[in-house]
Amino acid sequence: MRIGITCYPSHGGSGVVATELGKLMAERGHQVHFVTYDMPFRLGGFNHNIHYHEVEANRYAVFRYPPYDLALASRMAQVAKLHSLDVIHVHYAVPHAICAYLAKEMSGHAFKVVTTLHGTDITVLGEDPSLRDIICFGIRQSDAVTAVSNDLIRQTNELLCVDKPLERIYNFVDQRIYSPQDVQEVRQQYANPDEKILLHISNFRAVKRVPDIIRILDRVQRHIPTKLLLVGEGPDLSRAADMAQERGLMDRVIFLGKQDEVAKLISLADLLILPSSKESFGLVALEAMACGVPTVGSNAGGIPEVVADGETGFLSNVGDVDAMADHAIRLLTDSELYQTFSENGRARAREHFCAEKIANQYEDLYRRVIAGETRAGV
Ligand code: GMT
């Protein structure tokens, strides 16, 4: 097949999923064309089946905002026509699903559009009156629409009431990369042998509830010597620093900023902390499970579909930092329980979310939409 992929190429779960999926499709012999404004950061080494087409928005002075959406639609249409694409798979509804529709209308080349909803494109942007109707339009015009969890399907139906079958295809993890790694030497750089390491990785937006992470650290470190690694950047990161300062915890928090080698960082942690108020899936929790690192966090959105509460991690209601801290302390002080959770997590990642299985589901979906089976897999 000839597959186009559009996603946000910077750090972020939807871009990671899109890029890793493209790489898997290329490994399977499909021609994969990324149409994005930058080289997707996880694209990595050379593969002769992968092509990259950059989108550049015009910055003419008359424009207050560079017309990126139009440039993207136009580039998608060019690439679709030139390379006879069978399907364009867009990740994140806004603006990608609408751009794909425009591209299809203008290219004169009959390709299919698959849209994958990732979370905030529905749960945050779908609530914005300036975007809601056009998101619904993009979904309706797609030939097939997938969502990364049952909870996101439920929320899409509730919030947007689009009369469109939505197919659940979970995110996946490549256990060739995400598996426990020998990181003893690196670990020494961050913590003493008697200290435990909590890890949080995100874009530090409001939905991640960054203050809760510092509150959890505060409670845990009263019982066990603990360090907190914060990976990523975003608007609430400075709030974390302020709170750590106020509570005298600055020597316990290590700010690592954006990082590429996430598998290594996860492997040196003891627990992943994910107290989000909204989370359609929680890719980082899956990556942690695959590395044998349990998650302590909230039961928001699709997290309970990923983390099995009481088996691979502990989940509590959003904002219940006392329960989250208690669960963290329990796991960090009971080595037998910790080992069981760690092994359960690796097995669960392998069984339910392995790259091979999920790539098969997308490949099958592409074949069905290309064959014109519109109510794909529902
Ligand atoms: O967290 C975000 O807002 C970023 C967004 C993204 O584009 O990476 O994350 C969403 O998609 C990920 C991949 O499917 C999911 O694992 C995240 O749970 C989801 N984030 C939210 O729903 C808040």
Side-chain angles (χ1 to χ4, degrees):
M1 283 182 275
R2 292 175 294 271
I3 304 161
I5 295 183
T6 289
C7 63
Y8 286 104
S10 55
H11 292 69
S14 59
V16 169
V17 170
T19 310
E20 296 295 346
L21 180 61
K23 283 157 63 174
L24 289 171
M25 290 298 153
E27 275 177 28
R28 292 174 175 214
H30 302 297
Q31 292 297 312
V32 177
H33 295 261
F34 283 92
V35 186
T36 47
Y37 62 75
D38 229 337
M39 181 81 86
F41 82 102
R42 284 267 186 102
L43 205 47
F46 175 76
N47 180 317
H48 70 281
N49 288 335
I50 294 182
H51 314 260
Y52 166 58
H53 310 274
E54 193 159 298
V55 180
E56 208 163 330
N58 188 300
R59 290 175 189 276
Y60 190 56
V62 84
F63 295 130
R64 180 158 178 198
Y65 307 106
Y68 168 70
D69 305 358
L70 300 182
L72 174 60
S74 187
R75 195 83 174 108
M76 279 173 161
Q78 284 168 357
V79 173
K81 201 167 170 185
L82 191 64
H83 298 279
S84 305
L85 297 188
D86 299 304
V87 61
I88 293 189
H89 185 177
V90 300
H91 293 258
Y92 212 83
V94 215
H96 303 150
I98 299 97
C99 297
Y101 164 77
L102 271 179
K104 194 170 171 177
E105 288 294 299
M106 69 188 276
S107 73
H109 169 70
F111 62 87
K112 302 289 180 178
V113 176
V114 172
T115 296
T116 291
L117 310 175
H118 277 274
T120 45
D121 44 355
I122 301 301
T123 59
V124 175
L125 302 177
E127 288 188 334
D128 182 335
S130 74
L131 292 171
R132 188 195 146 87
D133 290 350
I134 202 155
I135 293 173
C136 291
F137 178 77
I139 290 176
R140 255 187 263 114
Q141 295 301 328
S142 301
D143 295 289
V145 182
T146 74
V148 299
S149 62
N150 293 326
D151 188 75
L152 184 56
I153 291 182
R154 181 188 63 76
Q155 295 216 52
T156 308
N157 287 329
E158 262 177 38
L159 281 166
L160 300 181
C161 311
V162 273
D163 181 23
K164 184 86 183 173
L166 305 173
E167 181 166 354
R168 187 211 66 211
I169 301 188
Y170 281 136
N171 289 332
F172 58 91
V173 68
D174 188 339
Q175 287 188 299
R176 293 171 299 183
I177 302 162
Y178 288 87
S179 52
Q181 301 188 7
D182 182 11
V183 286
Q184 270 322 309
E185 263 180 47
V186 193
R187 196 187 150 103
Q188 288 166 19
Q189 316 284 324
Y190 298 112
N192 297 325
D194 66 319
E195 287 176 320
K196 299 293 185 185
I197 298 183
L198 308 182
L199 172 71
H200 175 77
I201 306 180
S202 80
N203 54 15
F204 291 85
R205 296 196 176 271
V207 293
K208 305 295 174 183
R209 291 186 66 96
V210 175
D212 285 2
I213 300 161
I214 302 297
R215 291 187 188 108
I216 292 166
L217 167 70
D218 198 356
R219 284 166 172 71
V220 173
Q221 61 88 36
R222 289 168 204 258
H223 293 82
I224 311 160
T226 308
K227 287 275 171 63
L228 169 67
L229 300 190
L230 295 179
V231 178
E233 274 171 13
D236 284 359
L237 187 58
S238 59
R239 218 165 145 210
D242 291 346
M243 279 184 71
Q245 185 97 52
E246 283 158 24
R247 291 168 186 243
L249 295 172
M250 271 316 251
D251 60 338
R252 306 239 140 252
V253 186
I254 300 162
F255 297 88
L256 292 173
K258 285 187 182 174
Q259 296 283 333
D260 285 341
E261 290 231 29
V262 175
K264 206 167 244 167
L265 284 168
I266 292 174
S267 286
L268 59 81
D270 295 295
L271 291 180
L272 179 87
I273 306 295
L274 190 65
S276 315
S277 58
K278 291 179 190 227
E279 202 70 68
S280 67
F281 185 87
L283 183 63
V284 70
L286 171 58
E287 292 171 340
M289 277 194 337
C291 293
V293 175
T295 292
V296 168
S298 75
N299 53 15
I303 298 177
E305 293 173 59
V306 180
V307 176
D309 186 21
E311 289 173 32
T312 73
F314 281 122
L315 305 179
S316 315
N317 290 336
V318 174
D320 193 348
V321 288
D322 287 338
M324 291 179 205
D326 287 349
H327 284 139
I329 293 165
R330 187 168 160 210
L331 272 169
L332 294 175
T333 50
D334 183 340
S335 57
E336 214 171 296
L337 183 72
Y338 184 92
Q339 197 53 35
T340 306
F341 273 44
S342 173
E343 281 162 20
N344 288 348
R346 291 180 63 197
R348 183 171 170 79
R350 205 168 32 244
E351 211 173 303
H352 297 283
F353 306 102
C354 83
E356 189 71 12
K357 176 177 173 164
I358 305 298
N360 285 344
Q361 292 178 8
Y362 276 116
E363 203 174 39
D364 178 55
L365 172 66
Y366 296 158
R367 289 196 205 286
R368 282 185 279 128
V369 279
I370 291 166
E373 297 168 24
T374 46
R375 286 189 64 84
V378 181

